[in-house]
Amino acid sequence: EVQLVESGGGLVQPGGSLRLSCAASGFTFSSYEMNWVRQAPGKGLEWVSYISSSGSTIYYADSVKGRFTISRDNAKNSLYLQMNSLRAEDTAVYYCARDRLMTTMYYMDVWGKGTTVTVSS
Amino acid sequence: DIQMTQSPSSLSASVGDRVTITCRASQSISSYLNWYQQKPGKAPKLLIYAASSLQSGVPSRFSGSGSGTDFTLTISSLQPEDFATYYCQQSYSTPVHFGQGTKLEIK
């Protein structure tokens, strides 16, 4: 079964750090690009970051650039999101999502269940 | 950045109704448009990719159309399990913004 399982969420104070992990199984992780997408309480979906299959190409949303770092370990079938200088507005459920490529079209076809990050004093 | 605007933001409908949700891009995105369904407390689920291609396992009552800047998601005959929030998303360029969502509620 194709599966993504996030972990690492929790309560952190403003200015603190947290590292999220996403464990992949059931598919060849090293062949797929990956994303982090978040959803603040009661709000819509916000794309956060993208990493290519090799890790050589990375993109960030402006809202997290300079504070968050995406990475992956293909040997461990794992995706990570290092979050530093956290703010209250980073409070959200964080999802990892697999990117699927069909000719030139990308879409997120597999999602994890999410991990909750709460930034509060 | 390419901004995505959905309409309506919320919609009340009855089982068996035909429903259409609209998504507009701030510039042309060809057919680089995806639709997702999200139920409360659950992860999003891919419904439609490349504007009109039905994801495997998704019921055929869901369909997508459009290209350029204007797109629609249609549910031909609403079922009880379809009451959820729907999001469009452009994959033409980074950042791959989502629309603000359309909440479909039972009338």
Side-chain angles (χ1 to χ4, degrees):
Chain A
E1 179 191 5
V2 173
Q3 197 171 10
L4 297 171
V5 179
E6 302 92 339
S7 61
L11 174 64
V12 61
Q13 292 187 340
S17 298
L18 214 52
R19 188 195 196 206
L20 306 184
S21 298
C22 172
S25 59
F27 64 100
T28 306
F29 179 71
S30 59
S31 296
Y32 289 87
E33 293 78 15
M34 297 294 296
N35 298 275
W36 286 99
V37 176
R38 69 184 180 183
Q39 186 170 37
K43 302 297 184 181
L45 301 171
E46 179 189 15
W47 171 79
V48 172
S49 185
Y50 158 96
I51 187 167
S52 63
S53 56
S54 66
S56 61
T57 300
I58 285 173
Y59 300 114
Y60 297 101
D62 286 346
S63 57
V64 307
K65 201 173 294 182
R67 301 187 298 123
F68 289 11
T69 302
I70 192 172
S71 62
R72 64 190 297 160
D73 185 334
N74 287 340
K76 294 184 177 179
N77 293 331
S78 292
L79 175 72
Y80 305 102
L81 186 68
Q82 177 66 44
M83 304 187 296
N84 298 331
S85 303
L86 283 161
R87 306 166 180 168
E89 55 265 35
D90 296 318
T91 294
V93 176
Y94 285 74
Y95 297 100
C96 62
R98 186 179 81 170
D99 243 0
R100 182 80 184 270
L101 176 62
M102 185 69 65
T103 60
T104 61
M105 304 287 184
Y106 276 102
Y107 48 94
M108 300 180 200
D109 69 333
V110 179
W111 295 67
K113 293 184 177 181
T115 188
T116 300
V117 173
T118 303
V119 184
S120 175
S121 55
Chain B
D1 292 9
I2 298 174
Q3 303 301 320
M4 308 302 294
T5 304
Q6 289 181 231
S7 61
S9 296
S10 63
L11 175 60
S12 293
S14 301
V15 172
D17 284 354
R18 179 184 180 89
V19 167
T20 298
I21 297 170
T22 298
C23 178
R24 175 165 288 176
S26 60
Q27 66 184 72
S28 178
I29 57 170
S30 183
S31 296
Y32 289 76
L33 191 284
N34 308 312
W35 289 98
Y36 301 86
Q37 176 194 65
Q38 187 180 34
K39 297 180 179 179
K42 301 294 186 182
K45 172 188 172 183
L46 176 69
L47 297 177
I48 301 284
Y49 63 92
S52 60
S53 295
L54 193 67
Q55 171 69 349
S56 176
V58 174
S60 59
R61 62 181 179 274
F62 291 92
S63 64
S65 65
S67 67
T69 60
D70 294 318
F71 303 86
T72 58
L73 172 70
T74 299
I75 309 172
S76 60
S77 179
L78 272 174
Q79 298 301 300
E81 61 267 31
D82 300 337
F83 291 94
T85 300
Y86 293 84
Y87 295 92
C88 62
Q89 176 236 343
Q90 66 86 11
S91 60
Y92 183 83
S93 66
T94 302
V96 292
H97 283 309
F98 292 85
Q100 81 277 18
T102 295
K103 187 174 183 179
L104 181 52
E105 299 173 305
I106 300 174
K107 183 183 286 185

